């Protein structure tokens, strides 16, 4: 099984490279904040009390709570997609007498192998980032000079254990469907996409939606004197709402694609119709591409709008409690979250498009030209970006409204012009990413690609 697992990873490098990057960033992030916690715990009592700010542990907790959750969200999304790309191969193994237990063991082996491959680089990056972050906090007076990052390997081992635990649980859930059904049915399911959203997944999505709404209500009812608590609740609520989007993604994506696809079909009757049919017919694939875009727009938009709203609230009360350090901390948090979301977006879009080489080859065999395929991909890319931006904007709008209610008393937040740059950035990652991968995917002899000569 080890040989087969490694062979599958070599066969589909695009999907596993994306998973490896997500795991690398997650290990680095958990190591970073774990090292900061360790620095505060091992620091002398006098050094901890000498800090002018809230302390290293409080800052690390406020940052790490959201950053680690986002990191695991990105890992689960990348892992689920990597396994869906192997659906047909796993089904073929089932037809040649592989047991469900062996199929699950193969998937676990891939997760462990990918994790161990990126563990050492993730540890190094996390440890270096922790020291630099602590040094900057000390320079700004937020941490005492006597606080040092200890040389203990505990934060690194905790990071590895946490990532492995999340990866193995997520892989078990993802591999459950293919390992439980009959081999012949698994092979049939691997060649088609089930358009129905399972009841457990739908119920989980509803639960996440309710949880996100409760968190936003909590944020909206915070006193105006507690903008930090309102901001953390709103940001956490936006992440939970994005999880709801991921769980109910096929339904939401198909509905929005149907609405947005109407003008596309009218403007480009041929390639526009085909693009719209592809997106609506493969809702799970569309959801995989849309969720990272929504994550990028939702989290980045929430951060930018909340920062602008907080500044507006301070100007209304003629106070200035926001220091240069506060602004720097917000910028660091925004950069970290945007980096995760951008990496997830690029990884997923490249893998989704690269996995369609056989589909493109079939279209070429029935008469489609490369130019027509690229036009179809352009229409799909625009629709994918539009659906992701709309879903992310809805989440950012709800979270920002809750924060604005707490800080200004009005549900109308201050929306800065930087939000348009977020939208432009999401489009710049989505459309060129799909087209660049599509250009490579339509190359090669179509007959050979259809017969499985290349993947």
């Amino acid at each position: 099984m080890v040989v087969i697992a490694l062979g599958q990873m070599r066969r589909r490098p695009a999907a596993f490279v994306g998973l490896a990057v997500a795991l690398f960033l997650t290990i680095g992030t958990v190591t970073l904040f774990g090292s900061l916690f360790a620095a505060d715990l091992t620091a002398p009592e006098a050094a901890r009390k000498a800090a002018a700010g809230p302390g290293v542990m409080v800052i690390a907790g406020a940052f790490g709570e959201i950053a680690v959750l986002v990191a695991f969200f990105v890992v689960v999304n990348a892992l689920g997609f990597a396994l869906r790309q192997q659906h047909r191969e796993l089904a073929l193994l089932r037809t040649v007498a592989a047991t469900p237990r062996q199929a699950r063991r193969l998937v676990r082996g891939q997760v462990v192998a990918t994790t161990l491959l990126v563990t050492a680089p993730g540890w190094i990056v996390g440890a270096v980032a922790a020291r630099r972050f602590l040094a900057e906090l000390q320079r700004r007076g937020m941490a005492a000079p006597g606080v040092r990052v200890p040389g203990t390997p505990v934060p690194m081992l905790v990071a590895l254990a946490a990532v492995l635990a999340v990866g193995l649980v997520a892989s078990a859930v993802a591999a459950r469907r293919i390992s439980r059904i009959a081999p012949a049915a698994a092979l049939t399911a691997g060649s088609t996409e089930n358009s129905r959203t399972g009841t457990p997944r739908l119920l989980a999505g509803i639960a996440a939606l309710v949880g996100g709404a409760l968190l936003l209500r909590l944020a909206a009812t915070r006193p105006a004197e507690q903008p930090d608590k309102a901001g953390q609740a709103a940001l956490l609520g936006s992440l939970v709402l994005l999880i709801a989007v991921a769980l109910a993604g096929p339904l939401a994506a198909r509905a929005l694609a149907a609405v947005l696809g109407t003008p596309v079909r009218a403007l480009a009757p041929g390639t526009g119709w085909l693009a719209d049919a592809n997106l609506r017919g493969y809702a799970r694939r569309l959801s995989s591409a849309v969720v990272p875009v929504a994550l990028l727009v939702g989290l980045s938009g929430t951060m930018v709008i909340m920062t602008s709203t907080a500044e507006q609230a301070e100007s209304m009360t003629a106070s200035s409690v926001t220091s240069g350090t506060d602004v720097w901390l917000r910028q660091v948090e925004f950069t970290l979250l945007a980096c995760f979301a951008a990496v997830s977006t690029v990884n997923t879009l490249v893998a989704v498009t690269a996995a369609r080489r056989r589909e493109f080859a079939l279209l070429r065999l029935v008469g489609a030209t490369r130019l027509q395929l690229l036009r179809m991909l352009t229409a799909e890319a625009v629709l994918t970006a539009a659906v992701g931006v709309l879903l992310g904007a809805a989440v950012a709008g709800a979270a920002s409204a809750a924060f604005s209610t707490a800080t200004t008393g009005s549900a109308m937040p201050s929306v800065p012009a930087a939000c348009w740059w977020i939208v432009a950035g999401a489009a710049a990652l989505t459309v060129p990413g799909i087209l660049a991968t599509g250009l490579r995917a339509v190359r090669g002899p179509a007959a050979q690609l259809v017969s499985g000569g290349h993947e």
Side-chain angles (χ1 to χ4, degrees), residues 277-421:
N278 276 335
L279 294 182
R280 288 196 287 168
Y282 290 86
R284 290 183 183 274
R285 185 174 68 193
L286 173 61
S287 176
S288 297
V290 160
V291 167
V293 181
L295 179 70
L296 174 62
V297 175
L299 289 180
S300 301
T302 300
M303 286 289 298
V304 169
I305 296 174
M306 285 199 309
T307 300
S308 178
T309 302
E311 293 173 351
Q312 181 189 49
E314 291 170 7
S315 64
M316 290 170 57
T317 58
S319 64
S320 180
V321 297
T322 301
S323 65
T325 301
D326 294 328
V327 174
W328 175 76
L329 287 173
R330 290 174 185 172
Q331 289 174 344
V332 171
E333 187 173 19
F334 169 75
T335 302
L336 185 62
L337 296 180
C339 179
F340 269 114
V343 167
S344 177
T345 300
V346 173
N347 284 342
T348 304
L349 292 176
V350 169
V352 165
T353 308
R356 299 174 63 188
R357 296 187 60 153
R358 190 170 185 273
E359 174 191 336
F360 297 153
L362 283 170
L363 289 172
R364 286 167 56 196
L365 286 179
V366 297
T369 65
R370 286 187 175 89
L371 182 58
Q372 288 173 327
L373 290 178
L374 290 177
R375 286 176 181 171
M376 178 195 74
L377 276 175
T378 301
E380 288 186 19
V382 171
L383 284 174
T384 299
V387 172
V389 167
L390 287 176
L391 290 174
V395 170
S400 303
F403 178 76
S404 180
T405 300
T407 54
T408 67
S410 170
M412 185 63 66
S414 172
V415 181
C419 288
W420 292 108
W421 287 107

Side-chain angles (χ1 to χ4, degrees), residues 133-324:
F133 189 75
L134 179 59
E136 187 64 23
L137 288 177
Q138 290 170 336
R139 190 180 72 83
R140 294 175 178 272
M142 300 290 287
V147 179
R148 294 286 183 272
V149 175
T152 173
V154 172
M156 300 178 181
L157 296 177
V158 168
L160 176 60
V163 171
L164 275 176
V166 171
L168 291 175
V169 171
S171 66
V173 173
R176 184 173 180 268
R177 176 172 174 261
I178 187 64
S179 64
R180 286 174 64 92
I181 60 179
L187 185 58
T188 303
S191 60
T192 60
E193 180 177 292
N194 186 2
S195 61
R196 296 181 58 186
T197 301
T199 302
R201 177 171 179 164
L202 190 58
L203 291 176
I206 294 173
L209 183 63
V210 173
L214 291 176
L215 283 169
L216 294 188
R217 178 176 176 79
L218 176 64
T221 54
R222 293 293 87 193
E225 298 78 20
Q226 299 178 355
D228 290 338
K229 291 184 178 179
Q232 285 299 108
L235 195 58
L236 184 58
S238 68
L239 179 58
V240 175
L241 288 179
L242 286 167
I243 293 174
V245 169
L247 291 169
L251 289 176
R254 186 188 293 115
L256 282 175
V259 174
L260 297 175
T262 302
V264 174
R265 291 195 303 271
L267 293 173
T271 55
W273 178 89
L274 187 57
D276 178 57
N278 276 335
L279 294 182
R280 288 196 287 168
Y282 290 86
R284 290 183 183 274
R285 185 174 68 193
L286 173 61
S287 176
S288 297
V290 160
V291 167
V293 181
L295 179 70
L296 174 62
V297 175
L299 289 180
S300 301
T302 300
M303 286 289 298
V304 169
I305 296 174
M306 285 199 309
T307 300
S308 178
T309 302
E311 293 173 351
Q312 181 189 49
E314 291 170 7
S315 64
M316 290 170 57
T317 58
S319 64
S320 180
V321 297
T322 301
S323 65

Side-chain angles (χ1 to χ4, degrees), residues 65-145:
E65 176 187 13
I66 301 297
V68 171
L69 286 175
V70 171
F72 285 136
F73 178 85
V74 171
V75 166
V76 171
N77 187 61
L79 177 59
F81 178 76
L83 295 184
R84 283 197 299 274
Q85 292 300 101
Q86 300 180 85
H87 200 115
R88 183 175 177 82
E89 286 82 356
L90 292 174
L92 284 171
L93 286 175
R94 293 292 315 283
T95 61
V96 294
T99 64
R101 192 175 191 179
Q102 287 174 324
R104 291 193 293 268
R105 189 187 306 161
L106 183 146
V107 171
R108 287 197 299 269
Q110 291 174 339
V111 173
V112 172
T114 308
T115 303
L116 294 179
L117 185 66
V118 300
T119 294
W123 282 348
I124 294 171
V125 170
V128 172
R131 285 170 171 77
R132 291 189 176 182
F133 189 75
L134 179 59
E136 187 64 23
L137 288 177
Q138 290 170 336
R139 190 180 72 83
R140 294 175 178 272
M142 300 290 287

